[in-house]
Amino acid sequence: MPAHETKSGVYCLANDTAWEWFQMFIRSFRKFNPTLPLTVIPYNAAMSRLKTLQAEFQFSIMDESTASQFDAIASRVAAGMENPGGTFRKLCCFLGKYDTFLFLDSDIAVTMCFDEILAAFACSPHDLVYFDTDLLVFKPEFARQMMAEHQTFSFNSGAFLCRRMAISESEILAAVAAGEKIRSGFAIWGEQSFLNYLFQTTRRRLTHVNMLLPELTFKPKVWMPFHYDVKCRCYIDPEEGRFALIHWAGEEYPSMKRPEIFLEYRTLGLPPAEQENYRRTFYYHRLRSRAQKFKRRLFSKLKKMTGQTAKV
């Protein structure tokens, strides 16, 4: 059969540094989607630990030569002067093997089966469907310009549905050439600003997943108010919108918000004794991390105070 046979799948960007996050992601993903194909895009070449999970959780890893094809453009259009790392490797999924696909960052816990979402997307006219908006993608002045020209909300690029070749390689490279000149208007480290710029300037049809399935929440970020509903056996927000996933966008391990939910999915499938041991170790590292951050803030404050005294 041809390599691009019609099928659905999921891509995830990860590497060994994201080990803890990926463990949470893959365990939750396979709980609700035991047979859905998954391809991991390597953030960089450090993948030896993740490879040890392949047999147990049944996923493939995109080869390094394919994953790195857009590495060279990252420094040309990323916001600011910081190294954007492997974030631009997400672009590979638009040229990949799945005709319809979900892209998910590794700091996401999957909380439902994706069959209904993928089926709804397959029947929709949209090119890209996102799970969350993000108003901070562009700097204010440029954001007003983009909204006036394209009348489209910006989206969080950590979770979205799309189609193979919804955007072509030539369109990506053309957007790089144009975006390189105006990237001072990009506000976020990494690929998110460029990805929004790319899909808005090429006038692709974008919408929120709530427009496909109204029962889903508008905001699946971990810091939003939500709770587990025993009756529907899922997480819901105050308006009873269901969570298809929970996203720890921008959060750090082990100091992240809602650690009890992280632990619920991170320890899935482990024997009870291993679960308990992991929880104890996690909270030990969490306490140390908080203590170190407090110490750094205290020293920084004392340094400023000392400097001000010296000036006086």
Side-chain angles (χ1 to χ4, degrees):
M1 299 183 75
H4 60 276
E5 63 180 276
T6 302
K7 60 180 178 180
S8 297
V10 176
Y11 293 103
C12 176
L13 182 68
N15 68 350
D16 288 350
T17 303
W19 173 260
E20 296 296 344
W21 288 116
F22 185 76
Q23 284 264 15
M24 174 199 67
F25 164 77
I26 193 63
R27 291 174 184 277
S28 63
F29 176 76
R30 281 296 176 227
K31 175 182 179 180
F32 295 99
N33 301 274
T35 61
L36 187 61
L38 170 67
T39 298
V40 174
I41 303 172
Y43 186 88
N44 55 27
M47 294 290 291
S48 58
R49 293 187 75 191
L50 260 61
K51 287 179 180 178
T52 65
L53 301 174
Q54 279 188 271
E56 180 179 0
F57 295 106
Q58 296 297 298
F59 61 88
S60 61
I61 297 177
M62 184 180 289
D63 64 88
E64 178 66 15
S65 60
T66 301
S68 62
Q69 63 183 304
F70 293 113
D71 283 3
I73 72 172
S75 60
R76 295 172 58 190
V77 290
M81 300 304 293
E82 293 183 61
N83 185 345
T87 58
F88 277 73
R89 293 185 170 202
K90 288 184 187 183
L91 293 168
C92 297
C93 64
F94 301 115
L95 313 177
K97 62 183 179 180
Y98 303 127
D99 285 306
T100 58
F101 64 86
L102 261 163
F103 175 86
L104 300 172
D105 277 343
S106 60
D107 56 356
I108 283 175
V110 175
T111 57
M112 67 182 291
C113 176
F114 287 139
D115 288 352
E116 186 178 3
I117 294 175
L118 286 165
F121 176 62
C123 297
S124 81
H126 300 96
D127 300 301
L128 184 145
V129 174
Y130 49 87
F131 286 77
D132 200 359
T133 55
D134 197 325
L135 301 179
L136 302 177
V137 168
F138 304 125
K139 293 178 180 177
E141 184 177 347
F142 190 64
R144 288 191 290 270
Q145 177 185 330
M146 290 292 289
M147 178 59 76
E149 292 181 10
H150 304 291
Q151 294 83 46
T152 303
F153 288 107
S154 297
F155 62 91
N156 183 288
S157 61
F160 60 85
L161 291 140
C162 200
R163 306 179 197 280
R164 181 178 180 273
M165 295 303 294
I167 207 84
S168 67
E169 183 175 3
S170 61
E171 287 174 309
I172 292 172
L173 296 179
V176 170
E180 193 171 16
K181 302 170 186 175
I182 49 83
R183 71 170 182 168
S184 59
F186 294 173
I188 297 179
W189 174 89
E191 89 303 330
Q192 184 161 293
S193 296
F194 175 72
L195 203 55
N196 274 268
Y197 175 80
L198 171 64
F199 272 82
Q200 290 184 33
T201 55
T202 54
R203 301 189 180 280
R204 293 305 194 267
R205 296 162 294 183
L206 313 177
T207 195
H208 194 288
V209 70
N210 178 269
M211 298 297 103
L212 300 186
L213 298 172
E215 65 269 25
L216 296 183
T217 185
F218 272 101
K219 288 286 183 181
K221 289 193 178 76
V222 71
W223 55 79
M224 300 302 292
F226 65 93
H227 67 278
Y228 188 79
D229 186 274
V230 178
K231 186 177 180 180
C232 71
R233 301 176 68 183
C234 64
Y235 287 98
I236 61 172
D237 63 24
E239 288 73 43
E240 299 189 355
R242 296 176 60 192
F243 278 62
L245 53 88
I246 301 171
H247 192 187
W248 277 262
E251 296 283 317
E252 295 182 359
Y253 174 91
S255 59
M256 75 286 277
K257 295 178 177 64
R258 305 296 292 267
E260 74 284 0
I261 299 177
F262 168 84
L263 288 169
E264 174 189 351
Y265 292 108
R266 171 61 180 85
T267 60
L268 274 174
L270 296 178
E274 287 187 35
Q275 289 185 357
E276 181 60 26
N277 183 61
Y278 183 87
R279 290 173 189 273
R280 289 180 179 178
T281 303
F282 170 83
Y283 279 114
Y284 168 74
H285 288 301
R286 181 178 174 85
L287 184 61
R288 284 196 62 184
S289 175
R290 287 188 166 186
Q292 289 169 355
K293 285 184 178 180
F294 175 77
K295 187 185 295 185
R296 285 195 296 268
R297 286 197 299 266
L298 180 61
F299 284 161
S300 177
K301 188 174 182 179
L302 288 172
K303 187 176 180 180
K304 288 180 181 178
M305 292 173 64
T306 303
Q308 290 173 354
T309 303
K311 290 179 182 178
V312 174

